[in-house]
Amino acid sequence: MTLTLTVSDEVRALVPGFTHLALEARGLVNGPSDATSAALLDEAAARLATRLGGRTPDQDPHVAAWRAAYTAFGAKPSRTRNSAEALARRALADGGLPRINRLVDAYNAISVAHLIPVGGEDLNRIEGGMRLVRATGEEDFVTVAGGEETVEHPEPGEIVWCDERGVTCRRWNWRQGPRTRIDDDTTDALFLLESLAPMTRGELLAAGEELAEALLKVSPGARITVRDPE
């Protein structure tokens, strides 16, 4: 069954022009990072350096648009960076991009190469549909701090992704909760690419197509469906 994704009118009004593209992938085989996934990350870092040409990630127009969106709902973009900017900064640092597992490496590579926030969720751990909303502040966000499970609550007005059980990602695409995170046991997953102007629909679709190709490289035989941007 196809997962329902809904963006609230409040979010649309606050950040006009937001578009997301979803990929559903089934029959995945995940595992530790390997030479194939590492090559995707290395190539992405090289493409990023070429794209920026010596500029910092926040000087890229798409990253700048995300910074403005974060400011609009009350976040401080220099302290809580959107996922694309955070990954780009790591890609340019001496340590380079982290190796997590094959599937996460694949979508992180697309995020860095295209400077677009990309998230991955285990479809079998999502309860009900997923919604992008402005939080009331009462929602539960289950995370881990100091090795112990803890419950946080988003700030009122904060933009969050959530399912029927609670928040799955805080501050839009800043911090994902561990409950729905992709791990070595993941076989079915949702991948979400999120764009703002000036990124065009064509550029968003190109990033989605490249993600589908990357997933097939790290998990041959997976069944991938690319939805129309919404």
Side-chain angles (χ1 to χ4, degrees), residues 16 30-31 34 39 42 66 69 79 91-92 98 109 112 116 130-131 136 149 185 193 198 204 226 228:
N30 200 10
D34 59 12
D42 290 342
W66 275 104
R79 294 182 60 187
L92 297 172
V112 168
I116 179 174
M130 290 188 65
R131 296 171 290 121
T136 65
E149 185 176 284
D185 296 326
L193 298 85
L204 176 60
V226 182
D228 289 333

Side-chain angles (χ1 to χ4, degrees), residues 4-220:
T4 301
L5 295 167
T6 306
V7 179
S8 74
D9 291 340
E10 283 188 317
V11 172
R12 297 274 188 203
L14 186 70
V15 188
F18 168 65
T19 307
H20 66 271
L21 183 152
L23 282 76
E24 287 191 18
R26 300 181 184 275
L28 294 163
V29 178
N30 200 10
S33 302
D34 59 12
T36 299
S37 67
L40 291 172
L41 291 170
D42 290 342
E43 179 190 4
R47 289 168 62 183
L48 173 68
T50 299
R51 172 176 176 150
L52 292 176
R55 296 175 299 154
T56 55
D58 58 287
Q59 293 175 303
D60 180 88
H62 195 223
V63 173
W66 275 104
R67 282 183 156 239
Y70 270 48
T71 300
F73 69 80
K76 295 181 179 179
S78 293
R79 294 182 60 187
T80 55
R81 296 182 176 91
N82 70 83
S83 63
E85 182 179 353
L87 271 177
R89 287 170 63 90
R90 294 193 70 172
L92 297 172
D94 290 341
L97 287 165
R99 273 56 172 164
I100 308 297
N101 58 53
R102 291 198 298 269
L103 297 179
V104 174
D105 291 353
Y107 78 74
N108 279 350
I110 300 307
S111 178
V112 168
H114 292 265
L115 270 181
I116 179 174
V118 183
E121 307 277 357
D122 189 309
L123 274 172
N124 297 316
R125 297 173 190 156
I126 297 171
E127 298 191 13
M130 290 188 65
R131 296 171 290 121
L132 186 67
V133 301
R134 300 199 71 182
T136 65
E138 300 294 324
E139 299 89 348
D140 289 343
F141 177 70
V142 180
T143 187
V144 176
E148 299 290 332
E149 185 176 284
T150 184
V151 178
E152 298 177 355
H153 302 284
E155 298 291 330
E158 181 181 324
I159 294 180
V160 297
W161 278 103
C162 57
D163 65 2
E164 296 302 321
R165 186 169 166 183
V167 174
T168 58
C169 195
R170 285 199 59 188
R171 296 193 180 113
W172 210 321
N173 47 47
W174 168 65
R175 180 189 291 171
Q176 183 184 28
R179 172 170 59 89
T180 58
R181 188 177 296 160
I182 289 174
D183 61 22
D184 286 356
D185 296 326
T186 297
T187 57
D188 304 317
L190 171 79
F191 299 92
L192 194 64
L193 298 85
E194 301 180 292
S195 72
L196 299 170
M199 177 172 271
T200 67
R201 179 186 175 92
E203 289 169 334
L204 176 60
L205 285 167
E209 291 170 0
E210 190 174 333
L211 176 55
E213 294 171 0
L215 292 171
L216 289 173
K217 286 180 180 178
V218 299
S219 182

